[in-house]
Structures are given as structure tokens and as C-alpha cells.
Amino acid sequence: MVAYSFKRFFEPQIAAGFKRQTVRGQRPRHARPGEAVQLYIGMRTRFCRKIVDPDPICTETLPIVIETSTLLDCIIAAIEIDGRRLHRDEIEEFARADGFAPEHINDVAIDMEGKTARENMGAFWQANHPIGLFTGELIRWTPEGI
């Protein structure tokens, strides 16, 4: 079993089933398809708590590359999943699926007031990652029992 920690503003979306994926950097072991994943808020703190129970099941783990640039207002220049570069419309869909839809996040996340999910994702990435190329894994899950 693999555990992932999330920012507090993602909790309602994860609990409601809107957010069923996460992007993570390279590490020795990520979740594997068919394996349960534990989703937490505040891991390694005294405020740690599980977001959903029972644990969701990993459906796929794919390599992802995210390119960011401060030359663009939206910051997210390109996304490639499993070797396939996403089209502009697909990037917006991806950002929404990853929890950055304005209707879900603008009122709860500091510094995220974008008109699009891509803008919100860009603000998040700029605040939490160096500008340039990010290489990692996309982990997707489904609620347990589905």
C-alpha cells in the first residue's frame, strides 16, 4: 500500500470523487494498478488524517512530463502523458481532473483565482516547483468497490 499527502484545499474534491488523480515526482515506489492507495491531509504532522475510507484502488500509473514557462500567462506550456503530448483543450481537461477547476478551488485556495483550470494549475506549479521541465508519474484511482 502506498500513501499520498495532499494540500488541504484538495480534500473536498477527493472526498466527493471529483479528483481521482495526482502527479508526483520520481521516487522508488509508486502505487501499482490494482493496489489500494491511502490518501491523507497533513501527513507527518499531528493534524494528519485520512481523506477517504475505504482506500481507493490505483487504476493506472503513467509517466508524465509537465513543461512550465513564465513567458505564458497560464504557466503550463505543455503536458505529455505516456509519451503523448496533450492538445490545448486536453490540458484544460487534465487540469480540471487534477483538481484545479475554478468552481472547486478559487474560493478555498490562496493565490488561485484563475478563470481556467490551466491558469490555476500554473499558479500552483509556479509556487511549488521550479520553472522548466518536470518529470514524474501520474497516478489515477477509483473508489474502492467500483
Side-chain angles (χ1 to χ4, degrees), residues 63-74:
I64 187 167
V65 177
I66 298 175
E67 183 180 349
T68 56
S69 172
T70 55
L71 298 176
L72 299 172
D73 290 339
C74 63

Side-chain angles (χ1 to χ4, degrees), residues 49-67:
R49 72 175 184 280
K50 207 171 196 183
I51 300 171
V52 292
D53 195 24
D55 296 330
I57 304 301
C58 176
T59 57
E60 62 184 345
T61 303
L62 302 168
I64 187 167
V65 177
I66 298 175
E67 183 180 349

Side-chain angles (χ1 to χ4, degrees), residues 28-100:
R29 170 118 158 61
H30 279 292
R32 296 179 183 135
E35 184 175 42
V37 291
Q38 294 182 325
L39 310 176
Y40 289 95
I41 294 295
M43 272 176 52
R44 296 182 187 90
T45 72
R46 64 184 175 144
F47 304 107
C48 179
R49 72 175 184 280
K50 207 171 196 183
I51 300 171
V52 292
D53 195 24
D55 296 330
I57 304 301
C58 176
T59 57
E60 62 184 345
T61 303
L62 302 168
I64 187 167
V65 177
I66 298 175
E67 183 180 349
T68 56
S69 172
T70 55
L71 298 176
L72 299 172
D73 290 339
C74 63
I75 306 299
I76 304 295
I79 298 177
E80 182 179 293
I81 300 172
D82 200 22
R84 188 178 80 76
R85 195 173 180 102
L86 300 185
H87 181 270
R88 176 181 53 241
D89 295 339
E90 292 174 308
I91 292 174
E92 180 65 18
E93 288 175 33
F94 177 86
R96 293 181 74 77
D98 206 37
F100 294 101

